[in-house]
Amino acid sequence: MRDVLDKLLTWWQAGESVAVGTVVATFDSAPRPPGAVMLVGPELEVVGSVSGGCVEGAVYQLGEEILESGEPVLQRYGVSDESAFAVGLTCGGIIDVFVEKVDRTTFPELAEVAADIAEGRPVAVAMVVAHPDPKRVGRRLIIRPEPTTETPTPRASTASAEASGAGAGAGARGSLGSDRADDAVLDDARGLLANGRSETLEYGPDGQRRGEGMRVFVSSYAPVPRMLVFGAIDFAAAVARLGSFLGYRVTVCDARAVFATASRFPSADDVVVDWPHRYLSGEAAAGRIDDRTVICVLTHDPKFDVPLLEVALRLPQVAYIGAMGSRRTHDDRLKRLREAGLTEEEVARLASPIGLDLGARTPEETAVSIAAEIIAQRWGGAGQRLSAAAGPIHH
């Protein structure tokens, strides 16, 4: 949704109606993940993609129909025949696409959701995509993290307040049709939001945990994950470019002001002059490090990287910690970390030497090898050539 949100909001603010197709479930080797969105605009223009081209034509036709009828549809697309030349996915996967009409009436909370996303505030949208009662299909619950005494619940807009049901809990707007359904989905959706995951959940028609009939797609919009790059060197510039390309908010940090400049790292969102271990400790204390954060230590200088890794390897929740250096540097680093009191379990979290073995030589090639290792660790990939492997491409 993020990549089409600006266009959708522009049409919504102008009072236009838009057909929105959302991937709500995938099976096998699907080309795009849950949450991928395609818009069919008021002049029948197309924005976004749900399958990388395989079924866009069919979704476009369905979008045209829904702009006329206003009735949402949950449609499944898969391989239609042996050669997959009919409407279907040539990759052999299956996707469920929910196509609906979005305007100020059907989605009155869109502006406040868009504001949350733009400001980096976590928010989730739970939407009924299948239900025995057609009137409940398309209903939404807007969910934010559980409010604390320090964080008051935002006031609902007039339209949102009118749409809110009595069962919508604190930090939620709208209703899925019953208090029981709202309460069940609210708890589950907050768990997905905390992990930045979007997926379809199934319940009984009234939110029963052990039942089926009501399918709810939860779109989670957690803040953009962070990549922290320590060491203002040429390799760091290449890693920052690739990190930004992959969707991370990139910070480059180095204690040397002459090297840590915005002009040397135009792809970085932030360039910080500070001792790396001190900066990381401060970010962790402020709650700005989570289990999606990746840390790349490129200094390969003991006076910088050992104190930094002492902090990093003791953080409770980090997605990836990698450190650059030769085998000799790696061995010396491990010795120093053990002498500093780190346990074998803590040391085992370190990816060093950093990256996959791609035979990289240049900073750009090295950045690709580092990104490849981060992706492989995130999704459980083996890092081998797909042509030499058997079984599903996507785990």
Side-chain angles (χ1 to χ4, degrees):
M1 171 69 87
R2 293 179 191 269
D3 53 350
V4 302
L5 184 57
D6 288 346
K7 190 63 174 177
L8 176 60
L9 187 61
T10 297
W11 281 323
W12 183 90
Q13 290 171 332
E16 302 282 5
S17 295
V18 183
V20 179
T22 305
V23 177
V24 299
T26 65
F27 309 90
D28 299 324
S29 187
R32 299 211 65 197
V37 170
M38 172 178 152
L39 310 179
V40 180
E43 300 298 326
L44 302 183
E45 56 269 66
V46 174
V47 178
S49 171
V50 292
S51 72
C54 298
V55 301
E56 263 67 11
V59 175
Y60 177 79
Q61 290 182 331
L62 188 55
E64 285 186 279
E65 296 170 10
I66 286 168
L67 283 175
E68 290 291 329
S69 69
E71 298 297 324
V73 172
L74 177 63
Q75 182 67 51
R76 174 163 291 184
Y77 298 97
V79 175
S80 300
D81 58 20
E82 291 183 359
S83 59
F85 287 139
V87 174
L89 301 176
T90 56
C91 62
I94 298 170
I95 61 173
D96 286 347
V97 180
F98 183 73
V99 187
E100 59 173 331
K101 180 179 178 179
V102 169
D103 55 28
R104 285 179 172 270
T105 300
T106 64
F107 195 172
E109 309 92 348
L110 178 62
E112 61 181 88
V113 170
D116 282 339
I117 295 172
E119 295 298 322
R121 296 186 294 265
V123 63
V125 180
M127 177 172 58
V128 178
V129 298
H131 198 281
D133 180 359
K135 293 181 180 178
R136 291 176 68 170
V137 176
R139 299 200 68 161
R140 291 181 179 83
L141 189 64
I142 312 303
I143 299 159
R144 296 176 176 86
E146 192 167 4
T148 65
T149 54
E150 292 81 15
T151 307
T153 303
R155 293 195 334 161
S157 64
T158 302
S160 178
E162 291 174 353
S164 296
R173 297 285 180 266
S175 176
L176 303 180
S178 75
D179 294 357
R180 182 174 184 175
D182 291 346
D183 290 341
V185 173
L186 182 62
D187 286 342
D188 293 341
R190 278 187 172 143
L192 292 174
L193 179 59
N195 290 290
R197 291 168 49 206
S198 298
E199 65 181 60
T200 295
L201 308 174
E202 186 151 9
Y203 306 86
D206 202 34
Q208 299 93 330
R209 294 286 183 178
R210 296 183 178 180
E212 57 184 22
M214 181 173 76
R215 296 178 65 192
V216 179
F217 180 64
V218 180
S219 300
S220 294
Y221 302 102
V224 174
R226 299 187 68 189
M227 173 182 281
L228 306 182
V229 183
F230 294 98
I233 62 176
D234 289 346
F235 288 93
V239 170
R241 286 197 297 274
L242 204 51
S244 179
F245 174 75
L246 291 176
Y248 288 97
R249 179 176 182 86
V250 179
T251 298
V252 175
C253 176
D254 196 298
R256 302 165 297 179
V258 67
F259 295 116
T261 63
S263 61
R264 293 190 70 225
F265 300 97
S267 299
D269 297 281
D270 306 289
V271 179
V272 175
V273 178
D274 199 351
W275 279 84
H277 70 282
R278 184 169 60 193
Y279 174 74
L280 183 59
S281 296
E283 292 298 286
R288 290 190 286 267
I289 306 296
D290 62 25
D291 58 5
R292 299 176 302 147
T293 303
V294 301
I295 297 173
C296 301
V297 180
L298 310 182
T299 52
H300 52 82
D301 183 334
K303 70 175 179 289
F304 291 119
D305 61 17
V306 171
L308 170 61
L309 288 170
E310 285 185 55
V311 176
L313 294 171
R314 286 173 170 147
L315 293 173
Q317 293 183 319
V318 179
Y320 171 87
I321 304 169
M324 178 177 282
S326 66
R327 297 288 182 188
R328 179 179 297 178
T329 299
H330 168 71
D331 291 341
D332 178 69
R333 182 187 292 134
L334 291 185
K335 178 175 177 290
R336 292 171 183 267
L337 290 172
R338 291 187 177 106
E339 289 173 349
L342 271 76
T343 66
E344 292 303 316
E345 184 178 1
E346 290 169 337
V347 169
R349 301 175 65 194
L350 178 62
S352 174
I354 196 169
L356 296 185
D357 181 10
L358 305 182
R361 293 292 184 271
T362 67
E364 291 74 18
E365 290 173 346
T366 301
V368 171
S369 78
I370 294 171
E373 184 173 44
I374 292 170
I375 294 168
Q377 183 165 313
R378 177 183 181 187
W379 297 110
Q384 63 181 326
R385 297 181 66 185
L386 289 173
S387 61
I393 292 175
H394 298 110
H395 295 272

